[in-house]
Amino acid sequence: MPSIDPAGLPLDQKVSLLSGRDFWTTKPVEAAGIPPIVLTDGPHGIRLQRDGTDHLGFYDSLPATCLPPAVAVGSSWDVEVARRLGAAVGREARVLGVTVVLGPGVNIKRSPLCGRNFEYYSEDPLLTGMLGAAHVRGLQAQGVGASVKHFAANNQETDRMRVSADVDERTLREIYLAAFERIVTETRPATVMAAYNRINGTPASQHRWLLTDVLRGEWGFTGVVVSDWGGVNDRVAALAAGLDLQMPGTGGASDAEIVRAVRAGALDEAHVDAGARRVAALSGLVAEAGGELPVDEHHALARELATDCVVLLRNIGGVLPLARPSCIAVIGDLATSPRFQGGGSSRINPTRVDIPLDAIRALGESVTYARGYAADGTDDDQEAEAEAGSSDGSERGHGHGHDDREASLAQAVRIAAAADVAIVFAGIDKETEGVDREHIDLPAEQVALIRAVAAAAPRTVVVLAGGGVVSLEGWHDEVDAILAGWLLGQAAGGAIADVLFGVANPSGHLAETIPLRLADAPSYLNFPGEAGHVRYGEGVMVGYRGYQTVERTVRYPFGHGLSYTTFTTDALEVSLTGDNTATAHVTATNTGDRAGRHVIQVYVATAAGPVRRPVRELRAFKKITLRPGETRTVDLDLDRRAFTYYDIELRRWVVAPGDYTIQVGENAAHIVAERTITLTGDSGHRPLSLDSPFGDWLHHPVVGPQLRRSLGGGMTEQSRKALEQNPDLLESISSMPIRQVLSMGGTSFRDEELARLMELSR
Ligand code: BGC
């Protein structure tokens, strides 16, 4: 910790703390005992660069364990997976001398096309927030700091450094800020990273409401707000808005701007003092630099955690786990060149990589292989030739011109026909930071391969790799089983083999809906925007909230995931624990013959309140382990927030009085038990003004009766008659602002009387 208060330092020295010395370190102030600290990516491993430095992963970094990226962790629905992963990253950070690890990324998957969805957990803010909080807890328990990113509404890569996310406040609060709010209020992260994009026209890095009013004022954040790398437009405005640390450094240029602004009286020095104190306080975190990475231990951990993330989407006739002994045909380039992480700033230089084919051979008896297609859509002929006819019994394809493609397909079909079961490894070509995807389809060559193999093999299993949703249309019904393997980190190969052979029982569930068509996605018409703006026109109806509310049929709903055993929910009881809080008691049984992990998903459905509510929203979940035949009752608390919406007029979270149905779902589309409770809701009405609708005045519990009396007294004879003949008149003008109602005459109302009633409504 600093030996003296940094605010007491000369202006230029304290300002020097507010930007980086270089790409990854802050500046020291020796006189004050403030050392430089290292901040680096993140989130699912350490990307520490020694020589060339960049924020897109072009240059190498030191080896570190590549744990499962967030897309996988999201599918685990398991806070322990996130916590243990965070702890492992924290431990490696200490060994490598890193003080702050940039992550977790907790942006919401608004569109299946976002090129960075592989770095984010889910389309749901509760799942995202719970996992992100667990990651931060695990990481920070090691003494290093987290950087929760990208704050906020960074939901696309297209034009990411300029685009304005135009989003209404209710949507922002309920969907896009909620995970940040939970993490900040529950775990006190060391830093929060401001996003590149604008929000409603203002750059996130200069957004005072976001960085100061909400983050610090409402949520009590005391740590450092750091810029995304290169994400500051106006340094002085950013500091005034609450952005403490600019990264990377600008060679002193932006420090000089701050000094000039303070000297010119354009910037209050108090901003410099506050920022310098916060940055200096980061030196209280631990960075040890030295010792050995626990390479074997963390590789084993990466494998174990990855098995919890795999989602078994389909398993007709129990084709999985693989019967033993069986003759297995493994097909696809991704079985030998696995995709296990995305590109860009989170690209880790792995300590080792499990090859799926090798891992399958290690567990299986009779395994043949054909390459089938060239991943990436490109091919290096030399490499392909070197591989062709390899001596390990595999049949490899040649290059991938038309004839070669035909030959590869024929080889694949041949080994598929001779096997008991064919396993096709398929997946998205590549995903990388900075670029959104254009569609969600598998490469046509892979689809053709899957269909040809499925026609030839007795049973076919497809293992999908990819950091985002992949369409299953055009081949889904032709295969027996589908495993969503996401990007699982460096031990992906081993983890997939474990699941295929039943060494591990799959327990992942979708954290993101798989639609039938991309065009069904709620954000479809408003993604990625145009002319520098992206309108969040679907509002809170993001992901399953949208699909389910408009009753759109999807291929697999949010929350879907199978197991090698079966579970039933036998009972749901709900007890009220306060005015607007409840506990759901859910009893679940493992009805199959092997141990398994079950995710209890509790949704709340309501139409209460003056806003459009999604048909249901995930409000609690818990992953439990059950032995065959075991029954357990689990209590899931539904706090006040589980019933609220954000009221933009009242500027607060409101529980509307009314009915709330607590639902236990196998997924967001399939509810297996429900109970309805009635909540008294929050008391209080919105204050009345001359612009308030007449109906609000009439129905206000205190003002309404008085208004009716006064109206009666002040009415002309003609109005009284009209009202007698048409008693619905009052209701029919109820949506008119009272100002207009009164201006039409028919009643004499004194201004003082109106003012008195408005005061009464407060
Ligand atoms: C990314 C951040 C990352 C930073 C540093 C930026 O391009 O958006 O997520 O932490 O680079 O590499």
Side-chain angles (χ1 to χ4, degrees):
M1 288 298 273
S3 53
I4 59 171
D5 180 1
L9 291 167
L11 182 62
D12 59 338
Q13 279 190 31
K14 55 190 177 188
V15 167
S16 76
L17 287 166
L18 304 180
S19 69
R21 175 170 72 184
D22 50 37
F23 221 84
W24 302 119
T25 52
T26 58
K27 299 193 205 86
V29 179
E30 271 153 31
I34 302 169
I37 63 141
V38 177
L39 305 89
T40 202
D41 293 298
H44 47 265
I46 303 294
R47 184 173 71 96
L48 184 63
Q49 295 180 318
R50 278 278 183 259
D51 302 323
T53 50
D54 73 294
H55 62 299
L56 291 173
F58 291 135
Y59 296 112
D60 276 348
S61 51
L62 299 181
T65 309
C66 177
L67 292 139
V71 59
V73 177
S75 302
S76 76
W77 287 61
D78 188 350
V79 289
E80 265 302 282
V81 167
R83 189 196 61 76
R84 293 173 69 198
L85 186 150
V89 173
R91 197 165 149 204
E92 297 200 6
R94 290 178 67 149
V95 171
L96 295 168
V98 173
T99 306
V100 172
V101 185
L102 306 177
V106 297
N107 297 103
I108 296 298
K109 300 184 199 229
R110 174 174 175 250
S111 163
L113 296 181
C114 173
R116 254 183 130 173
N117 275 356
F118 69 90
E119 280 190 73
Y120 303 141
Y121 294 110
S122 173
E123 66 190 20
D124 179 80
L126 176 77
L127 186 54
T128 298
M130 297 281 284
L131 294 171
H135 177 108
V136 173
R137 283 195 185 97
L139 182 79
Q140 296 204 153
Q142 296 294 316
V144 300
S147 194
V148 188
K149 65 189 188 182
H150 309 87
F151 192 53
N154 182 176
N155 308 102
Q156 66 187 53
E157 294 300 278
T158 305
D159 210 12
R160 68 172 168 158
M161 298 189 87
R162 296 181 310 169
V163 73
S164 174
D166 295 342
V167 49
D168 67 89
E169 189 180 350
R170 177 181 163 217
T171 301
L172 205 50
R173 299 265 192 178
E174 292 187 20
I175 305 292
Y176 297 101
L177 298 187
F180 288 99
E181 179 182 0
R182 175 180 295 278
I183 297 168
V184 165
T185 54
E186 290 184 1
T187 72
R188 302 174 66 86
T191 78
V192 166
M193 185 191 292
Y196 282 137
N197 51 284
R198 293 163 195 266
I199 300 167
N200 297 322
T202 305
S205 60
Q206 288 167 222
H207 213 297
R208 195 183 154 80
W209 176 81
L210 187 71
L211 302 184
T212 297
D213 299 350
V214 173
L215 180 63
R216 296 194 189 282
E218 293 182 27
W219 302 347
F221 180 64
T222 54
V224 169
V225 176
V226 59
S227 72
D228 198 345
W229 265 234
V232 174
N233 307 317
D234 177 334
R235 181 61 185 110
V236 174
L239 182 59
L243 186 131
D244 306 304
L245 176 62
Q246 177 181 18
M247 289 301 289
T250 56
S254 53
D255 297 355
E257 284 169 26
I258 295 174
V259 169
R260 271 199 303 277
V262 172
R263 294 214 168 114
L267 177 72
D268 188 344
E269 195 169 339
H271 292 300
V272 173
D273 294 348
R277 281 196 183 110
R278 292 183 196 124
V279 174
L282 290 180
S283 59
L285 295 164
V286 179
E288 282 169 358
E292 295 287 317
L293 286 185
V295 173
D296 294 336
E297 184 188 331
H298 280 184
H299 186 77
L301 178 72
R303 181 167 178 161
E304 184 198 333
L305 297 182
T307 59
D308 260 321
C309 306
V310 175
V311 183
L312 178 62
L313 294 172
R314 173 177 170 89
N315 194 18
I316 302 298
V319 58
L320 290 179
L322 296 170
R324 290 167 125 157
S326 51
C327 171
I328 303 164
V330 175
I331 294 161
D333 204 3
L334 289 168
T336 53
S337 316
R339 283 203 61 223
F340 56 89
Q341 62 176 331
S345 63
S346 68
R347 209 176 113 236
I348 309 301
N349 176 8
T351 56
R352 72 177 62 134
V353 175
D354 280 358
I355 304 300
L357 178 62
D358 296 346
I360 291 171
R361 286 208 161 113
L363 293 176
E365 294 81 15
S366 162
V367 180
T368 54
Y369 173 70
R371 188 182 185 204
Y373 60 87
D376 258 348
T378 57
D379 201 3
D380 177 329
D381 282 348
Q382 279 184 351
E383 186 196 329
E385 264 162 41
E387 283 175 336
S390 73
S391 58
D392 58 1
S394 316
E395 294 197 36
R396 306 256 183 181
H398 297 270
H400 271 249
H402 179 73
D403 291 349
D404 298 327
R405 269 204 292 275
E406 292 297 311
S408 288
L409 194 67
Q411 283 170 354
V413 167
R414 198 163 54 241
I415 68 163
D420 299 323
V421 57
I423 304 173
V424 183
F425 282 77
I428 306 177
D429 279 353
K430 51 180 164 236
E431 290 134 296
T432 188
E433 178 178 339
V435 189
D436 286 325
R437 294 163 67 198
E438 286 171 10
H439 57 77
I440 57 170
D441 301 330
L442 283 179
E445 190 185 359
Q446 294 189 26
V447 172
L449 175 75
I450 292 171
R451 300 193 65 195
V453 168
R459 316 298 298 273
T460 302
V461 177
V462 174
V463 178
L464 290 171
V469 160
V470 173
S471 170
L472 313 180
E473 303 318 304
W475 54 271
H476 172 274
D477 295 352
E478 293 163 38
V479 303
D480 301 283
I482 305 174
L483 279 181
W486 312 119
L487 302 176
L488 290 173
Q490 68 181 45
I496 285 180
D498 287 345
V499 170
L500 287 170
F501 285 96
V503 176
N505 190 350
S507 62
H509 290 255
L510 291 178
E512 184 179 8
T513 308
I514 301 182
L516 284 172
R517 306 176 315 152
L518 174 64
D520 292 337
S523 61
Y524 180 71
L525 290 176
N526 285 305
F527 184 95
E530 56 211 18
H533 290 264
V534 51
R535 267 170 31 106
Y536 284 32
E538 69 285 359
V540 300
M541 302 294 173
V542 178
Y544 72 88
R545 286 170 166 77
Y547 293 110
Q548 295 306 318
T549 302
V550 301
E551 298 178 3
R552 188 80 72 231
T553 305
V554 299
R555 173 52 73 186
Y556 287 115
F558 173 85
H560 169 74
L562 304 174
S563 163
Y564 295 151
T565 185
T566 45
F567 302 98
T568 55
T569 300
D570 311 288
L572 164 67
E573 297 297 331
V574 177
S575 47
L576 285 171
T577 49
D579 281 347
N580 295 313
T581 56
T583 298
H585 313 277
V586 184
T587 305
T589 300
N590 179 346
T591 48
D593 57 6
R594 59 168 76 210
R597 309 201 64 210
H598 181 51
V599 177
I600 297 176
Q601 304 172 31
V602 176
Y603 297 83
V604 174
T606 185
V611 294
R612 186 70 186 253
R613 313 287 291 252
V615 70
R616 67 181 57 91
E617 298 182 87
L618 181 75
R619 295 307 198 192
F621 66 92
K622 199 172 261 179
K623 195 166 190 179
I624 55 169
T625 304
L626 292 173
R627 294 186 306 276
E630 186 182 352
T631 296
R632 247 173 83 186
T633 298
V634 178
D635 297 340
L636 296 102
D637 289 333
L638 296 164
D639 60 8
R640 182 189 137 75
R641 188 66 172 267
F643 304 105
T644 55
Y645 70 94
Y646 188 81
D647 193 305
I648 57 168
E649 286 175 308
L650 296 176
R651 319 201 78 172
R652 59 183 165 80
W653 295 94
V654 170
V655 180
D659 289 346
Y660 291 79
T661 302
I662 316 302
Q663 305 179 320
V664 178
E666 267 181 15
N667 53 56
H670 185 202
I671 300 306
V672 292
E674 62 180 34
R675 285 253 190 276
T676 298
I677 55 174
T678 304
L679 298 180
T680 47
D682 294 339
S683 56
H685 279 257
R686 55 200 75 229
L688 296 170
S689 75
L690 291 178
D691 287 327
S692 304
F694 188 50
D696 285 10
W697 282 75
L698 280 181
H699 297 303
H700 192 284
V702 182
V703 172
Q706 297 197 29
L707 178 74
R708 284 168 192 271
R709 271 199 301 280
S710 307
L711 276 176
M715 248 188 256
T716 61
E717 196 45 37
Q718 200 189 3
S719 309
R720 202 188 314 280
K721 279 217 176 97
L723 199 57
E724 272 167 22
Q725 281 159 10
N726 182 3
D728 294 339
L729 189 67
L730 281 186
E731 290 304 326
S732 67
I733 57 172
S734 69
S735 67
M736 284 171 77
I738 196 167
R739 189 197 300 280
Q740 267 71 34
V741 174
L742 297 179
S743 73
M744 290 190 315
T747 177
S748 59
F749 229 99
R750 284 177 302 116
D751 288 350
E752 305 84 75
E753 176 62 355
L754 280 176
R756 187 184 70 79
L757 293 177
M758 283 191 279
E759 194 48 44
L760 258 187
S761 75
R762 266 166 231 289

